[in-house]
Amino acid sequence: GEVRTKVTSADIVIKNNIMYGTGSNPAIETSITRPLPGEDWNMVYNVTDTSFGPNTTTADPKFVDTTAGLEDLHLKYGSPALEGGTDLSVTDDNEKSSRPNPVATNPDQGAYEHGPFAIPATGMIGLVALLSLLALLLVRRTLRRTTA
């Protein structure tokens, strides 16, 4: 992802985003000295530029899948972008899920809010982990009822 602008105003707000580059382009291209006044609280990865707002971080956001044609830009459990944003009074994400989640935390960076019950892996491994957790909870509940 890349942002291009010629405007220098602090009224342009670029916050809580993830800019995932190809390694050959800047995350933000502008004709002025950077960082831009309204750019902060973003995560950038694999980009050529290095001048960002004081709270913008450079790290792999750990998307679920970045394979071309199979992109899943939800965040994996353990992503440094989880709760990495700042409050902008945005109450839902790109899928209309509550933001932030859990309440009274910082929002996640990127388009999707992660939520408190995340699957720790992707694909079939994540599905197996989720089903195993549900089976364990069901067994615990059954055991409590039979021993009570």
Side-chain angles (χ1 to χ4, degrees):
E2 183 178 327
V3 176
R4 294 177 186 215
T5 182
K6 290 184 179 184
V7 181
T8 61
S9 170
D11 293 339
I12 293 179
V13 176
I14 305 171
K15 293 185 178 181
N16 293 354
N17 298 286
I18 297 174
M19 296 173 224
Y20 193 101
T22 62
S24 60
N25 292 317
I28 299 173
E29 189 171 311
T30 181
S31 59
I32 64 162
T33 303
R34 299 204 347 238
L36 293 172
E39 184 282 317
D40 203 6
W41 294 97
N42 297 296
M43 178 168 289
V44 295
Y45 178 67
N46 203 22
V47 296
T48 59
D49 45 347
T50 58
S51 181
F52 301 103
N55 298 295
T56 291
T57 57
T58 304
D60 182 348
K62 298 184 180 179
F63 288 130
V64 169
D65 195 345
T66 58
T67 305
L70 301 173
E71 294 90 347
D72 182 345
L73 303 181
H74 291 85
L75 300 171
K76 288 183 186 177
Y77 179 78
S79 167
L82 295 173
E83 297 184 16
T86 188
D87 182 13
L88 299 175
S89 299
V90 175
T91 58
D92 58 7
D93 70 4
N94 202 42
E95 297 177 322
K96 303 299 180 199
S97 296
S98 294
R99 176 169 271 182
N101 188 7
V103 175
T105 62
N106 286 338
D108 298 341
Q109 292 166 318
Y112 306 107
E113 191 71 15
H114 199 259
F117 301 107
I119 297 173
T122 64
M124 188 56 82
I125 295 170
L127 179 60
V128 169
L130 177 61
L131 292 175
S132 297
L133 176 62
L134 291 173
L136 177 63
L137 292 173
L138 183 60
V139 167
R140 285 185 69 191
R141 183 176 178 196
T142 303
L143 287 173
R144 283 186 184 162
R145 286 186 178 173
T146 58
T147 59

